[in-house]
Amino acid sequence: MDIEKGKEEFIEIFQSFIGRDGGEELLEYLESDKCDFFTAPASASYHLAEEGGLCAHSINVYNRLLKLLQMEYGTAWEEHYSHESVAICALLHDLCKIGCYKVSTKNVKNGEKWEKVPFFQFDEDLPYGHGEKSVYIISAFLRLTREEALAINWHMGAYDARVKGDGSREITKAFEKYPLCVFLHIADMLAANVDEGTNKQ
């Protein structure tokens, strides 16, 4: 994976469409030494479990979200959602994964020999949840609209751990009231499972 190319594409989309107060500071944070956004994997062992995977996944979700909105609303899609909202939701929905994947090693048998091989280990320093953690991080820099916040918060859909408890009522209401929640969830699923799944690696 070309990490620098992915970073350049992400920054180009970000700077082209996100002009909200605090956006420049957020991008500076993503590019800083304090943050591994551009080098982190998208997952530990499933989709894009490699350096640069998180950035690549975010771009894939952005492209999928654009296609979904164009299919639903045609050329008039921006009458429903601004390009800024699309870029914010798609590019930033997984900021919760920043700093969570540490490179470790495990023993794997190769024929008759055991070898140490590297792998990504999930190590959460801020156990705030998934979508809600992304909203928390973004909100430190820029103000989200209600629909943007809910779309990012519930982008995992039924896979969100909260849905297994009492969260099903909340996610159902969010999906009914705010279509962007549905579009972002579907875009995320298409990117992860169709564009990036283990069969694509």
Side-chain angles (χ1 to χ4, degrees):
M1 179 171 295
D2 191 331
I3 294 174
E4 281 305 311
K5 183 178 178 183
K7 181 178 179 179
E8 288 174 10
E9 185 176 358
F10 180 97
I11 291 172
E12 181 180 355
I13 298 167
F14 192 107
Q15 291 180 329
S16 296
F17 300 110
I18 300 177
R20 200 166 299 180
D21 288 347
E24 288 183 13
E25 290 77 11
L26 175 52
L27 187 57
E28 285 175 10
Y29 164 67
L30 295 179
E31 293 186 85
S32 74
D33 293 337
K34 300 175 185 176
C35 183
D36 67 351
F37 176 81
F38 292 108
T39 57
S43 68
S45 59
Y46 179 51
H47 66 111
L48 295 184
E50 57 187 290
E51 286 194 350
L54 179 55
C55 174
H57 170 68
S58 302
I59 293 168
N60 289 340
V61 173
Y62 167 79
N63 289 326
R64 281 291 185 174
L65 184 54
L66 276 179
K67 287 179 185 176
L68 286 171
L69 293 174
Q70 289 163 357
M71 281 190 339
E72 182 67 22
Y73 302 116
T75 56
W77 69 269
E78 285 188 90
E79 293 177 13
H80 300 268
Y81 298 104
S82 70
H83 210 133
E84 182 178 58
S85 280
V86 171
I88 285 172
C89 289
L91 296 182
L92 308 178
H93 76 284
D94 266 350
L95 292 196
C96 54
K97 294 180 179 179
I98 290 170
C100 287
Y101 296 103
K102 313 292 190 284
V103 178
S104 187
T105 59
K106 60 182 175 182
N107 293 322
V108 174
K109 196 167 188 179
N110 184 4
E112 296 298 317
K113 291 183 178 180
W114 287 92
E115 298 178 351
K116 283 191 178 294
V117 297
F119 76 104
F120 289 108
Q121 184 174 20
F122 187 81
D123 185 9
E124 177 66 87
D125 290 328
L126 180 60
Y128 202 93
H130 190 81
E132 61 269 46
K133 181 180 170 187
S134 291
V135 171
Y136 174 77
I137 294 169
I138 297 164
S139 296
F141 296 92
L142 55 84
R143 188 176 180 86
L144 296 169
T145 68
R146 180 171 295 185
E147 188 159 12
E148 290 164 355
L150 285 166
I152 294 167
N153 180 61
W154 291 114
H155 76 265
M156 289 292 288
Y159 295 99
D160 194 296
R162 292 169 291 174
V163 176
K164 296 171 185 174
D166 292 329
S168 59
R169 288 175 296 181
E170 285 77 14
I171 192 171
T172 298
K173 190 69 173 177
F175 276 23
E176 287 175 352
K177 194 169 183 181
Y178 299 102
L180 188 58
C181 297
V182 179
F183 290 124
L184 182 62
H185 171 57
I186 294 171
D188 187 39
M189 291 295 99
L190 287 169
N193 293 286
V194 176
D195 302 330
E196 312 158 0
T198 51
N199 62 322
K200 299 293 183 184
Q201 296 182 15

